[in-house]
Amino acid sequence: PGTAIVLEADEMGDIHLETQVEGTLFNIIQEAVNNALKHAQAKHIWIRLRREGITLLTVVQDDGVGFDLQKVLASYEQRGSFGLLNIDERARLVGGNAELESTPGKGTRVTILVPLGG
């Protein structure tokens, strides 16, 4: 019973993030995982971290119920919940970006790219 959270982070020893980027990425991952736990009814949530050149690619994906992204985005003002929009906004504030994909019955995937530090 419950949801298994799986972390996949191979060869991450030489990764260095600026303090603000690190904190922001942690908050985004936390938001994505909490959303999946609260809404997705998922059996699994995967957190995948991988270096891609001068950026860190992070994917938070679940095998839950998914949702109609366009419908949710269209009703944001009435709902008073801005968690999904905050994910991309937070990433942009530290020079990165985030993309959200979801399909009813097929789960949700949040992809985040943030710059690596020196």
Side-chain angles (χ1 to χ4, degrees):
T3 302
I5 299 176
V6 180
L7 176 63
E8 299 174 4
D10 295 333
E11 300 179 30
M12 298 294 292
D14 65 339
I15 298 291
H16 299 285
L17 298 173
E18 300 291 332
T19 302
Q20 183 180 7
V21 173
E22 184 177 285
T24 299
L25 181 60
F26 177 83
N27 289 334
I28 292 170
I29 292 168
Q30 185 176 42
E31 176 83 22
V33 169
N34 284 339
N35 284 342
L37 289 170
K38 187 174 180 182
H39 303 292
Q41 302 168 22
K43 291 191 183 343
H44 302 89
I45 300 170
W46 293 272
I47 303 167
R48 298 181 180 107
L49 301 160
R50 184 176 76 226
R51 179 185 201 128
E52 287 200 348
I54 60 169
T55 61
L56 177 63
L57 170 68
T58 304
V59 176
V60 180
Q61 184 173 359
D62 68 66
D63 59 1
V65 297
F67 60 94
D68 182 333
L69 180 59
Q70 296 309 315
K71 186 176 178 182
V72 170
L73 292 175
S75 68
Y76 251 41
E77 288 184 25
Q78 295 90 345
R79 294 175 58 224
S81 169
F82 297 98
L84 296 174
L85 294 178
N86 284 342
I87 287 174
D88 185 51
E89 186 174 317
R90 287 180 193 168
R92 289 182 186 283
L93 286 173
V94 294
N97 63 34
E99 182 178 308
L100 180 65
E101 303 167 63
S102 190
T103 303
K106 298 195 178 193
T108 300
R109 176 182 170 113
V110 179
T111 304
I112 310 115
L113 283 167
V114 295
L116 292 170

